[in-house]
Amino acid sequence: MKHFLSIYDHSKEDILEIIELASKIKKEAKVKNYIPYLQNQSLGMLFEKSSTRTRISFEVGIHQLGGQGLFLSSNDLQLGRGESMKDSARVMGRMIDMIMIRTFDQKVLDEFAKYSGVPVINGLTDKYHPVQLMADYLTMKEHGKTDNPIVAYIGDGNNMTHSWMMLAGKLGFELRIATPKGYEPWQEIIDDANELAKISGAKITYTNDPKVAVNGADVVTTDTWISMGQEEEKEERVKAFDGYMVDRDLMSLAKNDAIFLHCLPAYRGYEVSDEVFESHANVVFDEAENRLHAQKGIMVWLNAQKDK
Ligand code: CP
Ligand code: NVA
């Protein structure tokens, strides 16, 4: 049985297979939305943080696959009153077929996966956001940006950055990361990415200059400067990220046909200007829609791995 806890855990072949499956399911859905790949299965969706896209894409996704989604907020569960993750995992695994979790610490997922006995999906942790990256890569594919692309990530070295590093490391493309000093990706992730790059041929570089990163890029992407759980650092972060907004001047350094991606929610006037966001909105909302198709791909793929 396999889980989907990080891109690091999967081979290049697995990742591309999930993308192909998501593409296929998306095409099929244009003709018929409801195809019961997961007939009568239940997906638990455990949230310890807020969500719009992740909740909707998984809940609608499992419904369209013939199953049922259960929204489980930690505020309403005994978990919120001190029941352990280990026990919650064992209970849920007895009744639910697959579980998606959005939480803070990646270790919670590891523990859940160890005890639940059913496939567990990472719906975002402080370390990674792998389900988002599957939608992002599907979007790159649809817009013709998967042939040796140069991807520039501008902003905070966070869960999105880490996930881009794992994807580039596995698939072997060029990723340039520009962060302010003190906001670089975690060292353990840099070490893992370097190891992966040795095998795949990926080129992953780090700079404090957004212009250096964006110069000649095919894909420019960013994320909020203030992730969930960092609200109290807002003032100092906004100061530290001065000069890191993806605006018209910065975007003009990328290739003429470069696309802009954003996992959303976007904060215009901070990590991206309103002008850049709106002029690339068609791709950004393709990316948001692709959460649905990519998440269906992951669930169908995981189900097929259960007996392997
Ligand atoms: N991009 C993303 O995961 O959005 P939500 O936080 O709304 O789920
Ligand atoms: N880095 C952001 C991503 C939101 C989808 C966060 O963790 O809040």
Side-chain angles (χ1 to χ4, degrees), residues 48 61 157 202 205 251:
E48 297 203 281
T205 55
M251 201 64 203

Side-chain angles (χ1 to χ4, degrees), residues 205-302:
T205 55
Y206 308 91
T207 173
N208 301 122
D209 186 346
K211 293 194 185 80
V212 169
V214 172
N215 192 24
D218 299 285
V219 178
V220 179
T221 185
T222 183
D223 182 23
T224 181
W225 296 338
I226 302 133
S227 284
M228 289 179 275
Q230 298 173 334
E231 290 76 8
E232 282 175 10
E233 297 169 32
K234 181 170 177 181
E235 209 179 325
E236 64 189 88
R237 283 180 164 267
V238 168
K239 267 192 214 138
F241 286 90
D242 187 26
Y244 283 79
M245 184 195 294
V246 180
D247 59 11
R248 189 215 304 218
D249 288 349
L250 189 58
M251 201 64 203
S252 72
L253 301 175
K255 289 205 180 109
N256 284 339
D257 63 349
I259 59 169
F260 172 75
L261 294 177
H262 196 308
C263 65
L264 303 176
Y267 299 91
R268 295 166 173 79
Y270 291 92
E271 76 273 9
V272 60
S273 69
D274 182 59
E275 187 186 17
V276 166
F277 186 87
E278 289 303 335
S279 59
H280 292 270
N282 60 334
V283 179
V284 172
F285 290 103
D286 281 354
E287 181 188 3
E289 180 194 324
N290 277 338
R291 291 295 303 276
L292 173 64
H293 310 298
Q295 276 38 155
K296 284 161 91 175
I298 292 168
M299 289 189 278
V300 172
W301 184 83
L302 278 176

